[in-house]
Amino acid sequence: MNTETIKEKLEQALALDECIVKGENGTFQVIAVSAAFADMSRVKKQQAIYEPLTEEIASNAIHALSIKALTPDEWQKQKHFI
């Protein structure tokens, strides 16, 4: 599993303004930005990111996933610190 494959899966499944994926060896960090996250709880945001990656998580191709799911406004405020 590589970062480009994860990014492609997320971009195909979700309407993302931005998607950044870092990591290797089954441990990845995702920053996903979408206006669709505005009315979602933190748990719902994470579930939205996990869903397209279910097979990879189940097969242990991804065994650790750190998620930041942000609205465009949140991203503008935080991107300088990431």
Side-chain angles (χ1 to χ4, degrees):
M1 180 59 41
N2 63 50
T3 57
E4 272 307 307
T5 303
I6 294 170
K7 183 176 178 174
E8 287 172 13
K9 285 184 171 278
L10 292 173
E11 287 176 338
Q12 288 174 0
L14 304 166
L16 299 176
D17 297 336
E18 187 147 2
C19 184
I20 300 168
V21 181
K22 297 179 182 178
E24 60 187 2
N25 301 324
T27 302
F28 298 96
Q29 301 84 39
V30 171
I31 299 172
V33 181
S34 175
F37 295 142
D39 295 326
M40 292 184 183
S41 69
R42 185 173 180 191
V43 171
K44 290 290 184 192
K45 291 176 186 179
Q46 291 185 351
Q47 289 173 339
I49 300 297
Y50 280 127
E51 197 278 321
L53 304 172
T54 302
E55 289 180 26
E56 290 77 11
I57 294 167
S59 72
N60 213 29
I62 298 174
H63 60 82
L65 186 62
S66 169
I67 298 171
K68 287 188 183 267
L70 307 167
T71 65
D73 286 342
E74 291 169 334
W75 175 237
Q76 288 301 315
K77 293 174 186 171
Q78 292 187 27
K79 73 179 178 180
H80 303 290
F81 301 107
I82 296 176

